[in-house]
Amino acid sequence: MSELPFKKVDELLGGELVGERVRTRGWIYRTRHKGKMVFTVIRDSSGIIQATLFKGDMESEDDFNDAKKALVESSVEVEGILVEEPRAPGGYEIQVRRFHVVHFAEIFPITKDQSEEFLMDKRHLWVRSRRLTAIAKIKHSLFKAAREWFDEQGFYEVTPPILTGSAAEGGATLFEVKYFGDKAYLSQSAQLYLEAMIFSLENVYSITPSFRAEKSRTRKHLTEFWHLEAEEAWTGLEGNIKIQEELLSHIAHRVAEWNRKELEFLGRDPKDLLKIETPFPRYRYSEALDNLRKKGVELEWGDDFGAPEERKLTEDEELPIFVTHWPTEAKAFYMRWDPKDTRVVLNDDMLAPEGYGEIFGASERETDVNHLIERLKAEDANIEDYEWYLDLRRYGSVQHSGFGMGVERVVAWLSKAEHIRETIPFPRTPSRIRP
Ligand code: NSS
């Protein structure tokens, strides 16, 4: 082959190179042959392009014969003249002169109409699909946009541990691991460690995997998910709500800007995301209960919302909504009591539009060491495990607040995914740990 530099498929689809000899590489996405012609579509990380071989135009007959033999997913290097072809995907085609098969693939096991279970078994191959690729790009943009936003706001990115000695979000969903004759747990949330970090860096965030041994088989639960968490010193719930909505609006706008192609492929109108402007509507928990009652759903004070309730609450909303001031007994020990009404805590859950459910959980933190001890005792927690955390209230305690955002749930909403498992390359659920 020549020394021409390899171009990405999307560079070819830009149109500037029409009439020129170009070279690209990737995997065979589709192929069929008929007489002296081979019709292929080549896929790389940036897109797909048609590459057509006409035996008479080829510079090597071996190349033509190899192309005829090469099955779907074979890796190839292709060289030829770029032409406009309105009938081709993307509107361009390579009229091939050289075709080098880097590796002849075996018969690819994934074909049309396969069961979800089969696709999960072959996940290491299914990650090549255009749908999962588009969603992975949106996830990449989410991280990039979030880091950009936090950096502009003066937050430091920190690295809390994943192996931990105590629960952050209740014992029921802890994964236990052996730890040199002792027990350790996989982190459910970085929160307690981020709280320790605000005493030096003031505003911090982290992006870590979090683990929950939740048996729930729903379209929004994973046992391993990516957690974006932030903690701010000198800030109450009100200030924290502002950063949650601003961050999410920034992410939605960036994804609309950077991923137009992927969003359109996935059937999400980028305009839906450009509409995500602050402030988001807010409802107190008690108001949310009233609204549900008006829609015919009766819940008791203290009940959590399931997927049907979350859907009902957001069905008429274009923006995400906040539900604030939840009953104390329904929420974690570290949430600050509302000084005006100790039946509730200073917290919020943010619910995504279109029934995608809770995407953020947040609160102002209790700063009083005795209150914290009382709440831990009420939960039958082992106080010793939390001594280090209680120390944070003994040495210069200050008002502070923070949130956790479920990355996959936000990606599911942005990409209009049907199920959370589409938003992570190798989903972990109660029934799935392989591949
Ligand atoms: O349990 S949370 O509501 N809150 C916390 O863990 C706090 N300690 C975070 C903090 O303040 N630093 O979880 C936060 C979010 C929640 O809103 C979901 O979007 C997501 O984490 N989450 C999950 N995503 C996928 N799968 C599962 N199982 C899951 N659990 C929570």
Side-chain angles (χ1 to χ4, degrees), residues 168-169 188-192 194 210 212 214 220-231 331 334-335 349-350 358-363 365 402-410 420:
E169 291 298 323
Q188 299 164 307
S189 161
Q191 180 192 323
L192 307 191
L194 295 184
S210 276
R212 308 262 168 118
E214 270 169 315
K220 53 181 205 149
H221 284 91
L222 294 165
T223 54
E224 176 180 325
F225 67 97
W226 283 81
H227 210 166
L228 188 158
E229 293 174 273
E231 199 69 30
K331 289 293 174 179
Y334 52 71
M335 294 187 181
D349 281 0
M350 192 205 293
E358 182 202 320
I359 48 178
F360 282 62
S363 69
R365 318 306 190 186
F403 67 78
M405 178 187 105
V407 170
E408 285 77 15
R409 289 197 189 167
V410 174
I420 197 166

Side-chain angles (χ1 to χ4, degrees), residues 287-299:
E287 275 178 273
L289 281 195
D290 289 343
N291 291 345
L292 283 170
R293 200 163 297 128
K294 283 182 208 142
K295 291 170 184 264
V297 184
E298 283 293 332
L299 285 189

Side-chain angles (χ1 to χ4, degrees), residues 6-278:
F6 288 108
K7 298 282 185 206
K8 289 275 179 219
V9 164
D10 64 352
E11 292 177 83
L12 304 181
L13 297 177
E16 292 86 27
L17 297 170
V18 166
E20 289 184 32
R21 187 166 172 129
V22 296
R23 192 178 181 208
T24 190
R25 61 185 158 191
W27 292 265
I28 297 181
Y29 182 66
R30 280 199 287 264
T31 181
R32 67 190 168 88
H33 55 85
K34 203 175 165 209
K36 295 183 179 344
M37 306 281 286
V38 184
F39 305 93
T40 67
V41 175
I42 309 298
R43 165 183 75 72
D44 76 357
S45 60
S46 70
I48 58 172
I49 188 164
Q50 185 162 302
T52 303
L53 292 76
F54 179 60
K55 196 172 176 184
D57 285 345
M58 295 294 290
E59 288 166 13
S60 144
E61 200 171 321
D62 287 349
D63 281 9
F64 183 82
N65 293 333
D66 282 353
K68 240 169 117 174
K69 271 191 296 179
L71 303 178
V72 162
E73 289 305 318
S74 295
S75 41
V76 295
E77 296 173 357
V78 178
E79 195 172 317
I81 312 298
L82 185 70
V83 299
E84 268 182 72
E85 172 49 76
R87 286 165 302 177
Y92 297 91
E93 169 187 87
I94 304 172
Q95 294 182 344
V96 180
R97 299 290 181 269
R98 302 291 317 255
F99 194 96
H100 171 59
V101 178
V102 177
H103 179 255
F104 285 95
E106 296 176 25
I107 297 173
F108 199 61
I110 300 176
T111 52
K112 273 207 174 113
D113 301 325
Q114 259 147 351
S115 74
E116 196 53 45
E117 263 318 281
F118 180 80
L119 293 176
M120 289 304 294
D121 288 340
K122 299 286 179 214
R123 189 69 168 194
H124 50 293
L125 302 176
W126 187 230
V127 289
R128 303 179 185 193
S129 69
R130 293 184 76 205
R131 190 172 165 83
L132 292 189
T133 306
I135 295 175
K137 287 181 186 173
I138 288 168
K139 194 174 195 177
H140 166 82
S141 297
L142 177 151
F143 286 125
K144 183 168 152 181
R147 287 196 162 103
E148 173 185 73
W149 187 86
F150 277 120
D151 203 48
E152 279 166 11
Q153 308 295 318
F155 278 71
Y156 290 97
E157 182 166 4
V158 298
T159 55
I162 303 301
L163 287 169
T164 65
S166 49
E169 291 298 323
T173 66
L174 276 179
F175 275 113
E176 209 177 287
V177 291
K178 283 192 211 127
Y179 200 74
F180 307 109
D182 200 354
K183 271 190 224 164
Y185 308 98
L186 296 178
S187 171
Q188 299 164 307
S189 161
Q191 180 192 323
L192 307 191
Y193 296 95
L194 295 184
E195 286 187 60
M197 300 299 287
I198 61 151
F199 294 89
S200 56
L201 296 168
E202 295 184 269
N203 291 349
V204 295
Y205 76 100
S206 62
I207 301 178
T208 60
S210 276
F211 303 87
R212 308 262 168 118
E214 270 169 315
K215 296 243 169 62
S216 356
R217 282 161 217 270
T218 73
R219 60 187 200 113
K220 53 181 205 149
H221 284 91
L222 294 165
T223 54
E224 176 180 325
F225 67 97
W226 283 81
H227 210 166
L228 188 158
E229 293 174 273
E231 199 69 30
E232 268 188 305
W234 318 106
T235 305
L237 178 64
E238 177 62 33
N240 195 255
I241 284 184
K242 288 221 168 71
I243 69 165
Q244 294 169 54
E245 56 190 10
E246 278 167 23
L247 168 67
L248 190 69
S249 159
H250 180 76
I251 290 172
H253 291 182
R254 283 301 201 212
V255 167
E257 180 187 341
W258 293 335
N259 297 103
R260 182 161 296 274
K261 215 170 62 175
E262 288 75 28
L263 292 171
E264 280 164 3
F265 177 79
L266 294 164
R268 159 69 76 205
D269 186 345
K271 282 200 214 90
D272 298 347
L273 304 185
L274 292 170
K275 276 192 285 206
I276 306 300
E277 295 277 4
T278 65

